[in-house]
Amino acid sequence: MNVMAPKARPETHTAVEVFDMLVVGAGISGIGAAYHLQQQCPGKSFAVLEAQDGFGGTWRTHRYPGVRSDSDLYTFGYRFKPWTGAPIATADKIQGYLGEVVAENGLDAHIRYGHHITAASWSTADALWTIDALAGGRPVRFAARFLYMCQGYYRHAEPYTPDWPGMPDFQGRIIHPQTWPEDLDYADKAVVVIGSGATAATLIPAMAGTTRHITMLQRSPTFFRTGRNAIALADELRDLGVDEAWIHEITRRRIMRDSDTFTRQTFEDPAAARQVLLDAARAHLGPDFDIDTHFTPTYRPWRQRIAFLPDGDLFKAIAAGSASVVTDGIERFDATGIQLASGKHLDADIIVTATGFHLSVLGDIAFTVDGVPLDFADTVTYGGMMFTGVPNLAWVFGYLRASWTLRADLVADFVCRLVNHMDARQARIVRVALRPEDEGMELLPWIDPENFNPGYLQRGLHLLPKCGDKPEWAHTQDHWLEKDTLPAIDLEDAAFRYS
């Protein structure tokens, strides 16, 4: 496609490279986007800009002990690439899977590593996005007809750690899992892990056999799911010699249905769902363990993410005595550990702050539209993918209750269909805009806190686009619904404005 390059600017840059599509990020979303563009839009030129020196995103940056998925790889993997290993996989196995996708489809030729994007500016006159980036400290510039944001939703380089009193007084090491040091020796050390989410649940059983003792310190309990790290249906189909592509699709559908059934139960009969989770914990921890204090949250199941414990490994470490759990508040740090609100003290040589991350809204890039700075919090989302007043741009924000990649695949289908539809209409620009019938529509948060409210979302909710109270202007987080509704979007609906 021939497109007009943007007008020259006074800064010193090399020649501007122009593409039909520019994908931001080479993690699981960006690699999937590149595959789908290549398959569904074969005439389009595209490039993938990645800030790191290699692909993988989270699976490249997270290097703490035991790092693994907390979603099954039959659904966290792509629909087009069968997964043949254990459903809960370690980071190196996931990286290997992504590497196969890149190599088998020649995607490496499209990925530009070490490109940190600093600004993105839209010109209506040129019908182009101009992207400024740094590559090896050198400014580079790209232009694209369509911008496809696949960079994830948190800041890789800046983890979230609360500022507790006395932290400078601690004589040991304070570490966040997101920036795990390669030289850390935790053998025979007393370790306290602050937090009880998926990261803590992964770290603790992985370290428990090596540390002198490891303690999970939580302010309030978290729900966990347990089960074998295997899918009986998939294993049986393999025993029958069924093709791996069939096994992958059949298993995906079974997992998606079962996940949707349990999720709906958490809304319709939360007491029963709660009992299922607590009974599983009790089976591993024994009848005398204080489940009520340490593993019985006050909130409804799935109001925060439920991490999966393969073979109940966290519970097994606690039951064996190599790990323990303390539910208490932090009064302050001191030289030898943590003083708790209850008056008790936790001795520690190493403190791990598994306390979450900072939300990154569209890569924290400085966006402008026709010279006007863009604040995404002032926009309304169409289907959690596009935003009012922002031309030729789509964002992948995956599922939080199901596998992220399920939505990444659906969004890729939508983006490919949209750009092909633009060509059929001979349109260079597409925007979404509220229709006359949407006037006065109530505007709501990106995700209703009563529906889903982890800390990172609550801290960053004010930065995110708004939703409306109509289905097309909502971000539902409901894959069982969206697997049918997103492919059925009418691209000639009045919400889409072509020019």
Side-chain angles (χ1 to χ4, degrees):
M1 173 176 295
N2 294 320
V3 291
M4 185 184 299
K7 297 175 182 178
R9 300 187 183 184
E11 301 96 328
T12 301
H13 291 268
T14 55
V16 177
E17 291 191 79
V18 182
F19 297 94
D20 294 319
M21 309 284 294
L22 203 58
V23 178
V24 178
I28 198 158
S29 300
I31 291 171
Y35 171 87
H36 287 295
L37 286 174
Q38 192 163 264
Q39 297 297 313
Q40 299 183 47
C41 304
K44 300 293 183 192
S45 62
F46 71 92
V48 182
L49 300 186
E50 168 56 51
Q52 298 189 66
D53 293 330
F55 61 81
T58 295
W59 307 109
R60 183 178 178 83
T61 59
H62 285 189
R63 301 182 182 183
Y64 54 82
V67 57
R68 67 190 181 202
S69 65
D70 70 339
S71 297
D72 70 277
L73 262 294
Y74 287 92
T75 58
F76 190 71
Y78 303 112
R79 68 176 186 232
F80 57 82
K81 169 73 172 173
W83 176 258
T84 59
I88 301 299
T90 55
D92 62 315
K93 292 286 196 298
I94 297 171
Q95 277 286 79
Y97 173 85
L98 294 176
E100 290 177 5
V101 173
V102 170
E104 290 167 2
N105 297 284
L107 300 181
D108 211 35
H110 298 277
I111 304 175
R112 310 294 180 88
Y113 297 111
H115 282 64
H116 175 75
I117 297 174
T118 56
S121 57
W122 167 261
S123 166
T124 298
D126 298 327
L128 283 176
W129 283 101
T130 298
I131 305 300
D132 288 323
L134 292 174
R138 179 176 60 88
V140 291
R141 178 169 287 163
F142 301 85
R145 180 187 180 203
F146 199 100
L147 195 53
Y148 194 173
M149 303 298 294
C150 299
Q151 80 298 328
Y153 67 118
Y154 69 90
R155 296 175 190 160
H156 286 275
E158 185 188 353
Y160 171 73
T161 300
D163 186 16
W164 287 291
M167 290 179 76
D169 300 332
F170 181 58
Q171 298 300 300
R173 296 186 71 173
I174 300 175
I175 292 159
H176 193 287
Q178 200 169 309
T179 53
W180 195 270
E182 294 185 4
D183 66 344
L184 182 67
D185 179 11
Y186 52 84
D188 201 33
K189 299 288 197 307
V191 180
V192 174
V193 179
I194 302 172
S196 57
T199 301
T202 300
L203 274 166
I204 291 167
M207 297 173 68
T210 305
T211 61
R212 182 164 74 250
H213 190 76
I214 187 165
T215 302
M216 181 171 78
L217 172 60
Q218 59 180 6
R219 182 177 58 184
S220 58
T222 300
F223 285 115
F224 293 102
R225 294 176 298 150
T226 64
R228 291 176 55 232
N229 192 14
I231 304 292
L233 174 62
D235 292 342
E236 183 177 357
L237 292 172
R238 286 196 181 95
D239 288 343
L240 294 172
V242 175
D243 182 86
E244 284 293 346
W246 284 41
I247 294 172
H248 187 69
E249 182 60 22
I250 292 168
T251 305
R252 276 168 66 88
R253 293 191 184 199
R254 173 68 175 272
I255 291 169
M256 288 188 291
R257 187 199 66 185
D258 291 351
S259 296
D260 179 72
T261 299
F262 180 70
T263 298
R264 296 197 185 284
Q265 184 185 40
T266 66
F267 285 89
E268 297 164 3
D269 191 357
R274 173 187 295 267
Q275 198 58 49
V276 168
L277 297 170
L278 297 184
D279 285 348
R282 192 170 284 108
H284 286 284
L285 293 165
D288 298 328
F289 188 87
D290 189 357
I291 294 284
D292 289 344
T293 297
H294 300 303
F295 291 108
T296 305
T298 58
Y299 57 84
R300 170 180 52 77
W302 262 137
R303 206 171 164 209
Q304 296 186 17
R305 189 165 176 84
I306 303 176
F308 183 79
L309 307 180
D311 303 311
D313 57 2
L314 172 65
F315 293 152
K316 285 182 177 179
I318 293 171
S322 56
S324 57
V325 56
V326 172
T327 304
D328 208 333
I330 295 175
E331 184 71 27
R332 64 175 293 108
F333 284 43
D334 60 26
T336 60
I338 299 175
Q339 186 67 43
L340 301 176
S342 64
K344 297 178 181 178
H345 188 272
L346 284 180
D347 294 337
D349 301 306
I350 299 169
I351 296 173
V352 180
T353 58
T355 46
F357 50 83
H358 288 291
L359 195 69
S360 169
V361 180
L362 288 102
D364 296 322
I365 295 165
F367 281 85
T368 58
V369 173
D370 292 326
V372 178
L374 176 61
D375 184 347
F376 281 94
D378 294 334
T379 70
V380 181
T381 184
Y382 184 91
M385 300 179 291
M386 297 180 70
F387 313 101
T388 53
V390 187
N392 292 28
L393 180 144
W395 185 25
V396 176
F397 193 104
Y399 295 120
L400 299 172
R401 289 195 182 97
S403 294
W404 182 273
T405 321
L406 290 172
R407 194 164 204 272
D409 276 341
L410 289 174
V411 174
D413 290 339
F414 168 79
V415 170
C416 292
R417 190 161 66 94
L418 177 62
V419 296
N420 288 335
H421 187 70
M422 291 172 69
D423 285 351
R425 275 182 130 268
Q426 297 185 328
R428 300 177 69 198
I429 299 172
V430 62
R431 293 177 170 86
V432 291
L434 299 182
R435 303 156 301 188
E437 61 265 35
D438 300 320
E439 185 176 352
M441 178 177 63
E442 182 182 1
L443 297 184
L444 305 166
W446 177 252
I447 294 178
D448 180 0
E450 291 300 314
N451 184 321
F452 195 78
N453 66 354
Y456 63 87
L457 268 180
Q458 295 309 296
R459 291 191 300 271
L461 203 56
H462 64 288
L463 303 173
L464 287 162
K466 301 295 187 295
C467 286
D469 63 0
K470 297 182 179 181
E472 56 270 46
W473 300 108
H475 179 48
T476 69
Q477 284 289 309
D478 185 343
H479 176 259
W480 203 251
L481 174 70
E482 288 194 332
K483 69 180 176 59
D484 298 322
T485 59
L486 293 192
I489 288 173
D490 179 6
L491 296 178
E492 285 298 314
D493 183 88
F496 294 92
R497 308 289 175 84
Y498 300 96
S499 58

